Amino acid sequence: MSAQPACVGLLRGLLGASERGEESTQAWVAEQFAALGCEVDRFAYTSLGPGVGCGPAGLGASEPRQCVVGRLPGAPDRRSLLLFAHADCEPVAALERWRYPPFAGEISAGRLHGWGVADDLAGVAAILAAAGAVLAEVRRPAGSLLLVSAPSKRRARGIVEVLRRGYRADGGVYVHPAESERGLAEIKAVTPGLLRFRVRVSGRPPDTREPEQTPFAHLGVNPLDGAARLVAALRMVDERRAGRVRHPALDAAAGRSTNVHVTWLACGDPTHPGRVAEACEFGGSVSFPPGERPEDVQAEVAAALADAAAGDPWLAAHAPTLEWRDTVPGAEVDLDDPLPRLVRASVREVTGVEPAINALHASSDIGHPILFAGIPTVGLGPRAGDLTQAGGADEWVDVDDLARTVMVLERIITTWCG
């Protein structure tokens, strides 16, 4: 494929830069944007911190991160397009499981292997290759083209920072390989909202100095009992919501549109099983469909916990604490709108396949332009897999599908911007 050598070379360049860290990577991207003739804006910002909501209103301070924006200005009366991806440089670990050098971009059986290529260096490379191919054919698109490399991992939400600085477009494409490993066979046009929570339940050890407290257990209050009561209440919330909250795309994809999911519990000391803990913590997450407000879901969960606590004398007097760790609203675009129609048609022209809709990737970055700036946004990307950040090794991207992704982006740019 004609696009393959260019995007493979760019991806290998990104890998080499990423070995030196995020600042080096974004400096390399800025050089590529400048070489395309873009107006380049490279800036640092402080990303979201632990426990801070990730929605448009939930920004907080944490570590410094780097964003790069390349802008090719066009006529104001023509449609503008935002193409964005993230070039995070996550800490390297567990290399003993890798068979390939993590930063060399070695190709085997049609797959290019490298640290972060699927999440999301391939997206940045595809954007650079597509913009370069379009500019080689025409002087520049009629409408403005906005190219963005913004970090996403560790609550970075760089695309939100880009939008906060005033950058706008009439449509957006988030270039990221699908975690499903289906590549261009699907696009993202719906993303469920996601809430993460933590609950702390207090207890009271029995009044004894004996190291083995079991004979006195009835004189204390085991916080595990209170936690079990609250977890049962959340299970009831989950069942009620599953029968009441519906969304056609989520129902079709998974058979339900919402889940209240308790996933961990920490209580006591396993080396001293006879002792009563002073407190117990548990937590999990809630997924919910676009259109449902996060604050309404939070209120429903909080009310269920409060009702369960009110029915227990100890919990009524020692109220559990509920902490929301992340708050990401759901988002979607109308598939009949011009941009989703164009994306689907472009994929169909290049691959011969009508792409399905992946509606189950919660808190996808497609949601930020939609919610923060009203920019209709769709996600797509090449076939890739074994994501390092999901516990995989030898992370890879299919080089032929990467080339096809570039071809799809070329069609989107030239058709949308003119």
Side-chain angles (χ1 to χ4, degrees):
M1 293 186 180
S2 61
Q4 190 184 106
C7 56
V8 167
L10 288 164
L11 186 49
R12 283 175 170 158
L14 271 168
L15 277 169
S18 69
E19 186 175 12
R20 299 185 293 274
E22 185 168 291
E23 185 171 353
S24 172
T25 304
Q26 296 293 56
W28 187 91
V29 172
E31 291 175 359
Q32 305 307 308
F33 285 169
L36 292 172
C38 295
E39 300 171 354
V40 180
D41 182 12
R42 179 181 168 207
F43 59 89
Y45 72 104
T46 49
S47 70
L48 299 174
V52 179
C54 297
L59 298 171
S62 181
E63 59 185 308
R65 305 300 294 271
Q66 294 258 334
C67 284
V68 185
V69 179
R71 182 172 178 268
L72 288 167
D77 60 337
R78 303 301 291 268
R79 292 186 301 194
S80 55
L81 182 67
L82 162 68
L83 299 178
F84 69 103
H86 64 84
D88 294 271
C89 300
E90 295 300 282
V92 178
L95 286 182
E96 67 277 0
R97 298 171 52 214
W98 279 61
R99 296 172 297 165
Y100 300 94
F103 297 103
E106 186 173 323
I107 295 176
S108 175
R111 294 178 172 183
L112 186 149
H113 298 270
W115 192 268
V117 294
D119 192 22
D120 174 33
L121 297 184
V124 179
I127 288 172
L128 288 169
V134 169
L135 292 172
E137 292 292 328
V138 297
R139 187 166 180 269
R140 67 173 54 200
S144 295
L145 186 60
L146 204 60
L147 314 177
V148 174
S149 173
S152 178
K153 301 295 184 186
R154 288 171 279 132
R155 299 180 173 89
R157 306 302 183 195
I159 187 60
V160 175
E161 188 64 24
V162 169
L163 297 169
R164 288 183 70 200
R165 291 171 74 91
Y167 290 103
R168 293 292 186 271
D170 296 314
V173 179
Y174 176 39
V175 188
H176 192 302
E179 291 75 7
S180 64
E181 301 189 8
R182 296 192 63 205
L184 291 170
E186 64 182 28
I187 63 174
K188 294 176 184 176
V190 180
T191 177
L194 190 68
L195 305 170
R196 293 191 176 99
F197 62 88
R198 178 192 296 259
V199 178
R200 180 179 174 86
V201 185
S202 63
R204 186 189 67 209
D207 186 14
T208 178
R209 295 185 179 180
E210 290 284 347
E212 176 55 66
Q213 297 177 350
T214 302
F216 306 88
H218 62 291
L219 301 177
V221 178
N222 189 341
L224 189 59
D225 295 334
R229 181 183 183 92
L230 298 179
V231 169
L234 292 182
R235 169 54 64 186
M236 294 178 64
V237 172
D238 181 47
E239 293 175 357
R240 289 197 302 268
R241 285 181 52 79
R244 184 187 85 241
V245 178
R246 319 298 302 182
H247 185 282
L250 299 181
D251 280 355
R256 63 189 292 171
S257 298
T258 180
N259 282 286
V260 181
H261 190 36
V262 177
T263 56
W264 64 270
L265 184 147
C267 192
D269 181 353
T271 65
H272 297 91
R275 298 183 186 177
V276 176
E278 293 186 357
C280 179
E281 291 188 342
F282 68 89
S285 57
V286 184
S287 65
F288 57 100
E292 190 174 25
R293 300 194 311 164
E295 54 267 36
D296 292 340
V297 183
Q298 290 172 327
E300 186 174 0
V301 169
L305 293 174
D307 288 347
D312 177 273
W314 173 262
L315 295 179
H318 305 81
T321 59
L322 169 62
E323 177 186 2
W324 294 103
R325 308 288 293 178
D326 288 305
T327 304
V328 184
E332 64 184 330
V333 292
D334 188 336
L335 293 177
D336 290 327
D337 282 352
L339 180 74
R341 289 207 319 268
L342 170 60
V343 170
R344 295 167 75 184
S346 300
V347 171
R348 190 168 57 245
E349 289 171 12
V350 171
T351 68
V353 175
E354 178 69 30
I357 304 301
N358 179 343
L360 296 179
H361 186 76
S363 68
S364 168
D365 279 1
I366 67 167
H368 298 301
I370 296 171
L371 296 168
F372 193 93
I375 301 172
T377 303
V378 174
L380 61 82
R383 197 165 71 88
D386 292 322
L387 275 66
T388 304
Q389 300 305 314
D394 292 324
E395 188 168 332
W396 57 272
V397 60
D398 183 289
V399 292
D400 283 344
D401 216 35
L402 179 59
R404 283 188 285 267
T405 299
V406 173
M407 295 166 65
V408 168
L409 293 176
E410 289 178 50
R411 282 163 169 75
I412 294 171
I413 294 169
T414 54
T415 306
W416 185 260
C417 297

